Amino acid sequence: MKKFLKVFFKILKWLFIVLATVIVLFLIVRFIGQKIYNRTPEGGINEEMYVDINGTKQWISIYGQDKDNPVLLYLHGGPGSSTSIYDYAFTRKWSDVYTVVTWDQRNCGKSYSSDQNDTTLTYDLMMSDGVEMTKYLLDYLGNDKITLLGHSWGTYFGCNLVLEYPEYYECYIGTGQLVDFYQNEIAFKEEAIKWAGNDEESNRLIEKLNIDDFSTEYYMARNALMEKYGYDMFADGTDYNLIAAQVFNPYYSLGDFYKYINSDLSVYAEFLKSDEFNKFSLLGKTDYQVPFYNINGDKDYQTNYLIAQDYFELVNAPRKKMYIMEDTTHGLLESKSEEFSDILYEIAQKEHQN
């Protein structure tokens, strides 16, 4: 027995040494990577901060290779789906033509605070956040106007902002464009029926798509269908290493990761089911005073690209253009960030020349 315990504790000792070595090496590599990504470009900007917006602390990062470049504010999706855990990996690809601002909207990502979990989200509150953040950036960065780029829910949010406050924005760019939530879900169910055919398992999932009850069961069934038929957000993978992007994230401490993983986003789940969310619908809202661009994937049924195309035809704007990325789902910012960036460069060149 003594011999067994001696061997056991020896093995345990070496396992501990190996584990400790791996952890130390990981932290060293992470530290070096963070230092590299935290460098400020010569003549550029690399900052992060919390901004006081309507009584809350909301986090932003600002990165650009030339301070004289126009400013672009990126609006993440969801609502409540902050991408700050890795989005610098694709937003920095735009930093040679824009000073890019990423923003964790209220009570999500690095802006999360359990003190806000009792706050009821409304159309007016989110719009007020948007315009207040815009005014802050205009003042802080010394610009007259900024470009808005929204993804998914961010397109709903962004369109309403440029429609209501066109004086603050020089251009709108939407990707994964959402037009009307209810229309979108009806269209999704119709597509899912086509995918399923006579497949019994899929049809059982479709039965759970009750358009009047956006429950957890609804979204689980919806996501399962998209994954099964190759239309989920990450069906195309990513064109950069997503894990490395998180490990070397210059803005995230280990505590930030913990907070991100353990955030209670139930306020956003309630918002999504509310009449307040429905007020963001773009039906009947087609007259824009700023240039209007869309970049959508032709396999995007999370926000139906066909509905977005129909809406685009109705849009009145000083300039407009629709870009369709082939064989691409809703996760185009991650799966084809290089191709997306090429399109963004084209838009920037067109807008800066005017």
mmCIF file of all heavy atoms in Angstrom, residues 268-290:
data_model
loop_
_atom_site.group_PDB
_atom_site.id
_atom_site.type_symbol
_atom_site.label_atom_id
_atom_site.label_comp_id
_atom_site.label_asym_id
_atom_site.label_seq_id
_atom_site.Cartn_x
_atom_site.Cartn_y
_atom_site.Cartn_z
ATOM 1 N N TYR A 268 -32.308 40.979 -22.629
ATOM 2 C CA TYR A 268 -32.353 41.020 -24.088
ATOM 3 C C TYR A 268 -33.334 39.994 -24.645
ATOM 4 O O TYR A 268 -33.973 40.236 -25.674
ATOM 5 C CB TYR A 268 -30.956 40.804 -24.671
ATOM 6 C CG TYR A 268 -30.152 42.074 -24.702
ATOM 7 C CD1 TYR A 268 -29.135 42.304 -23.787
ATOM 8 C CD2 TYR A 268 -30.418 43.066 -25.643
ATOM 9 C CE1 TYR A 268 -28.406 43.487 -23.806
ATOM 10 C CE2 TYR A 268 -29.694 44.246 -25.670
ATOM 11 C CZ TYR A 268 -28.686 44.444 -24.748
ATOM 12 O OH TYR A 268 -27.976 45.623 -24.781
ATOM 13 N N ALA A 269 -33.462 38.853 -23.973
ATOM 14 C CA ALA A 269 -34.445 37.856 -24.393
ATOM 15 C C ALA A 269 -35.858 38.427 -24.283
ATOM 16 O O ALA A 269 -36.708 38.217 -25.168
ATOM 17 C CB ALA A 269 -34.307 36.596 -23.544
ATOM 18 N N GLU A 270 -36.104 39.178 -23.215
ATOM 19 C CA GLU A 270 -37.408 39.812 -23.040
ATOM 20 C C GLU A 270 -37.618 40.926 -24.066
ATOM 21 O O GLU A 270 -38.707 41.096 -24.601
ATOM 22 C CB GLU A 270 -37.535 40.371 -21.614
ATOM 23 C CG GLU A 270 -37.604 39.296 -20.542
ATOM 24 C CD GLU A 270 -38.754 38.324 -20.769
ATOM 25 O OE1 GLU A 270 -39.881 38.794 -21.037
ATOM 26 O OE2 GLU A 270 -38.520 37.105 -20.695
ATOM 27 N N PHE A 271 -36.572 41.686 -24.320
ATOM 28 C CA PHE A 271 -36.637 42.765 -25.313
ATOM 29 C C PHE A 271 -37.005 42.215 -26.689
ATOM 30 O O PHE A 271 -37.838 42.772 -27.402
ATOM 31 C CB PHE A 271 -35.287 43.470 -25.356
ATOM 32 C CG PHE A 271 -35.170 44.583 -26.374
ATOM 33 C CD1 PHE A 271 -36.124 45.589 -26.459
ATOM 34 C CD2 PHE A 271 -34.084 44.625 -27.237
ATOM 35 C CE1 PHE A 271 -36.007 46.623 -27.397
ATOM 36 C CE2 PHE A 271 -33.943 45.655 -28.161
ATOM 37 C CZ PHE A 271 -34.914 46.642 -28.248
ATOM 38 N N LEU A 272 -36.405 41.087 -27.049
ATOM 39 C CA LEU A 272 -36.631 40.482 -28.361
ATOM 40 C C LEU A 272 -38.089 40.077 -28.558
ATOM 41 O O LEU A 272 -38.596 40.080 -29.687
ATOM 42 C CB LEU A 272 -35.717 39.257 -28.518
ATOM 43 C CG LEU A 272 -35.570 38.647 -29.898
ATOM 44 C CD1 LEU A 272 -35.000 39.645 -30.891
ATOM 45 C CD2 LEU A 272 -34.673 37.417 -29.827
ATOM 46 N N LYS A 273 -38.766 39.761 -27.469
ATOM 47 C CA LYS A 273 -40.168 39.322 -27.561
ATOM 48 C C LYS A 273 -41.159 40.470 -27.387
ATOM 49 O O LYS A 273 -42.367 40.265 -27.466
ATOM 50 C CB LYS A 273 -40.442 38.262 -26.475
ATOM 51 C CG LYS A 273 -39.666 36.977 -26.667
ATOM 52 C CD LYS A 273 -40.093 35.917 -25.660
ATOM 53 C CE LYS A 273 -39.657 36.236 -24.253
ATOM 54 N NZ LYS A 273 -39.975 35.138 -23.305
ATOM 55 N N SER A 274 -40.654 41.675 -27.165
ATOM 56 C CA SER A 274 -41.517 42.793 -26.782
ATOM 57 C C SER A 274 -41.998 43.621 -27.967
ATOM 58 O O SER A 274 -41.426 43.583 -29.061
ATOM 59 C CB SER A 274 -40.768 43.713 -25.810
ATOM 60 O OG SER A 274 -39.744 44.425 -26.506
ATOM 61 N N ASP A 275 -43.028 44.396 -27.724
ATOM 62 C CA ASP A 275 -43.523 45.341 -28.733
ATOM 63 C C ASP A 275 -42.496 46.441 -28.993
ATOM 64 O O ASP A 275 -42.475 47.032 -30.072
ATOM 65 C CB ASP A 275 -44.845 45.971 -28.260
ATOM 66 C CG ASP A 275 -45.994 44.970 -28.265
ATOM 67 O OD1 ASP A 275 -45.896 43.972 -29.011
ATOM 68 O OD2 ASP A 275 -46.968 45.179 -27.521
ATOM 69 N N GLU A 276 -41.665 46.730 -27.992
ATOM 70 C CA GLU A 276 -40.630 47.742 -28.169
ATOM 71 C C GLU A 276 -39.643 47.334 -29.264
ATOM 72 O O GLU A 276 -39.208 48.165 -30.054
ATOM 73 C CB GLU A 276 -39.886 47.978 -26.848
ATOM 74 C CG GLU A 276 -40.719 48.647 -25.777
ATOM 75 C CD GLU A 276 -41.148 50.054 -26.172
ATOM 76 O OE1 GLU A 276 -40.296 50.807 -26.692
ATOM 77 O OE2 GLU A 276 -42.326 50.387 -25.969
ATOM 78 N N PHE A 277 -39.301 46.059 -29.312
ATOM 79 C CA PHE A 277 -38.398 45.572 -30.350
ATOM 80 C C PHE A 277 -39.043 45.720 -31.732
ATOM 81 O O PHE A 277 -38.371 46.053 -32.710
ATOM 82 C CB PHE A 277 -38.035 44.112 -30.083
ATOM 83 C CG PHE A 277 -37.007 43.559 -31.035
ATOM 84 C CD1 PHE A 277 -35.671 43.921 -30.928
ATOM 85 C CD2 PHE A 277 -37.368 42.678 -32.044
ATOM 86 C CE1 PHE A 277 -34.710 43.416 -31.800
ATOM 87 C CE2 PHE A 277 -36.420 42.168 -32.917
ATOM 88 C CZ PHE A 277 -35.089 42.542 -32.798
ATOM 89 N N ASN A 278 -40.337 45.487 -31.787
ATOM 90 C CA ASN A 278 -41.047 45.587 -33.065
ATOM 91 C C ASN A 278 -41.021 46.996 -33.644
ATOM 92 O O ASN A 278 -41.182 47.182 -34.856
ATOM 93 C CB ASN A 278 -42.504 45.139 -32.898
ATOM 94 C CG ASN A 278 -42.608 43.672 -32.517
ATOM 95 O OD1 ASN A 278 -41.706 42.888 -32.786
ATOM 96 N ND2 ASN A 278 -43.719 43.302 -31.886
ATOM 97 N N LYS A 279 -40.799 47.994 -32.788
ATOM 98 C CA LYS A 279 -40.757 49.377 -33.266
ATOM 99 C C LYS A 279 -39.561 49.633 -34.187
ATOM 100 O O LYS A 279 -39.535 50.630 -34.914
ATOM 101 C CB LYS A 279 -40.724 50.352 -32.083
ATOM 102 C CG LYS A 279 -42.009 50.381 -31.269
ATOM 103 C CD LYS A 279 -41.890 51.342 -30.089
ATOM 104 C CE LYS A 279 -43.149 51.342 -29.249
ATOM 105 N NZ LYS A 279 -43.046 52.271 -28.071
ATOM 106 N N PHE A 280 -38.579 48.743 -34.157
ATOM 107 C CA PHE A 280 -37.413 48.895 -35.027
ATOM 108 C C PHE A 280 -37.674 48.412 -36.454
ATOM 109 O O PHE A 280 -36.819 48.584 -37.326
ATOM 110 C CB PHE A 280 -36.204 48.142 -34.453
ATOM 111 C CG PHE A 280 -35.549 48.832 -33.301
ATOM 112 C CD1 PHE A 280 -35.933 48.561 -31.996
ATOM 113 C CD2 PHE A 280 -34.550 49.771 -33.517
ATOM 114 C CE1 PHE A 280 -35.329 49.205 -30.927
ATOM 115 C CE2 PHE A 280 -33.939 50.426 -32.456
ATOM 116 C CZ PHE A 280 -34.330 50.139 -31.155
ATOM 117 N N SER A 281 -38.837 47.805 -36.683
ATOM 118 C CA SER A 281 -39.164 47.317 -38.023
ATOM 119 C C SER A 281 -38.967 48.417 -39.063
ATOM 120 O O SER A 281 -39.312 49.579 -38.840
ATOM 121 C CB SER A 281 -40.613 46.835 -38.076
ATOM 122 O OG SER A 281 -40.979 46.539 -39.413
ATOM 123 N N LEU A 282 -38.421 48.032 -40.212
ATOM 124 C CA LEU A 282 -38.143 49.001 -41.279
ATOM 125 C C LEU A 282 -39.248 49.055 -42.328
ATOM 126 O O LEU A 282 -39.111 49.785 -43.324
ATOM 127 C CB LEU A 282 -36.804 48.655 -41.950
ATOM 128 C CG LEU A 282 -35.588 48.686 -41.033
ATOM 129 C CD1 LEU A 282 -34.339 48.241 -41.788
ATOM 130 C CD2 LEU A 282 -35.379 50.072 -40.433
ATOM 131 N N LEU A 283 -40.308 48.327 -42.118
ATOM 132 C CA LEU A 283 -41.414 48.362 -43.073
ATOM 133 C C LEU A 283 -41.981 49.780 -43.162
ATOM 134 O O LEU A 283 -42.327 50.399 -42.155
ATOM 135 C CB LEU A 283 -42.515 47.392 -42.654
ATOM 136 C CG LEU A 283 -42.137 45.903 -42.649
ATOM 137 C CD1 LEU A 283 -43.329 45.056 -42.218
ATOM 138 C CD2 LEU A 283 -41.640 45.467 -44.020
ATOM 139 N N GLY A 284 -42.036 50.308 -44.369
ATOM 140 C CA GLY A 284 -42.538 51.664 -44.579
ATOM 141 C C GLY A 284 -41.515 52.744 -44.325
ATOM 142 O O GLY A 284 -41.809 53.930 -44.494
ATOM 143 N N LYS A 285 -40.305 52.362 -43.914
ATOM 144 C CA LYS A 285 -39.231 53.331 -43.671
ATOM 145 C C LYS A 285 -38.180 53.160 -44.773
ATOM 146 O O LYS A 285 -37.284 52.319 -44.658
ATOM 147 C CB LYS A 285 -38.587 53.099 -42.306
ATOM 148 C CG LYS A 285 -39.550 53.138 -41.120
ATOM 149 C CD LYS A 285 -38.813 52.763 -39.838
ATOM 150 C CE LYS A 285 -39.730 52.693 -38.634
ATOM 151 N NZ LYS A 285 -39.011 52.266 -37.409
ATOM 152 N N THR A 286 -38.276 53.927 -45.809
ATOM 153 C CA THR A 286 -37.411 53.694 -46.978
ATOM 154 C C THR A 286 -36.679 54.942 -47.472
ATOM 155 O O THR A 286 -35.867 54.849 -48.392
ATOM 156 C CB THR A 286 -38.233 53.128 -48.146
ATOM 157 O OG1 THR A 286 -39.318 54.017 -48.443
ATOM 158 C CG2 THR A 286 -38.791 51.744 -47.811
ATOM 159 N N ASP A 287 -36.956 56.090 -46.885
ATOM 160 C CA ASP A 287 -36.356 57.333 -47.373
ATOM 161 C C ASP A 287 -35.142 57.720 -46.522
ATOM 162 O O ASP A 287 -35.279 58.197 -45.389
ATOM 163 C CB ASP A 287 -37.384 58.467 -47.363
ATOM 164 C CG ASP A 287 -38.499 58.228 -48.362
ATOM 165 O OD1 ASP A 287 -38.212 57.671 -49.445
ATOM 166 O OD2 ASP A 287 -39.659 58.590 -48.073
ATOM 167 N N TYR A 288 -33.963 57.503 -47.083
ATOM 168 C CA TYR A 288 -32.705 57.775 -46.388
ATOM 169 C C TYR A 288 -32.055 59.035 -46.952
ATOM 170 O O TYR A 288 -32.058 59.251 -48.164
ATOM 171 C CB TYR A 288 -31.738 56.602 -46.536
ATOM 172 C CG TYR A 288 -32.167 55.366 -45.777
ATOM 173 C CD1 TYR A 288 -33.144 54.508 -46.301
ATOM 174 C CD2 TYR A 288 -31.612 55.050 -44.543
ATOM 175 C CE1 TYR A 288 -33.536 53.371 -45.611
ATOM 176 C CE2 TYR A 288 -32.003 53.917 -43.845
ATOM 177 C CZ TYR A 288 -32.967 53.089 -44.385
ATOM 178 O OH TYR A 288 -33.361 51.966 -43.690
ATOM 179 N N GLN A 289 -31.494 59.828 -46.066
ATOM 180 C CA GLN A 289 -30.790 61.032 -46.491
ATOM 181 C C GLN A 289 -29.284 60.814 -46.604
ATOM 182 O O GLN A 289 -28.537 61.746 -46.876
ATOM 183 C CB GLN A 289 -31.079 62.171 -45.514
ATOM 184 C CG GLN A 289 -32.563 62.579 -45.483
ATOM 185 C CD GLN A 289 -32.820 63.733 -44.537
ATOM 186 O OE1 GLN A 289 -32.057 64.711 -44.495
ATOM 187 N NE2 GLN A 289 -33.878 63.625 -43.751
ATOM 188 N N VAL A 290 -28.852 59.575 -46.355
ATOM 189 C CA VAL A 290 -27.419 59.238 -46.454
ATOM 190 C C VAL A 290 -27.274 58.060 -47.414
ATOM 191 O O VAL A 290 -28.224 57.300 -47.630
ATOM 192 C CB VAL A 290 -26.823 58.875 -45.080
ATOM 193 C CG1 VAL A 290 -27.032 60.005 -44.088
ATOM 194 C CG2 VAL A 290 -27.408 57.567 -44.545
#
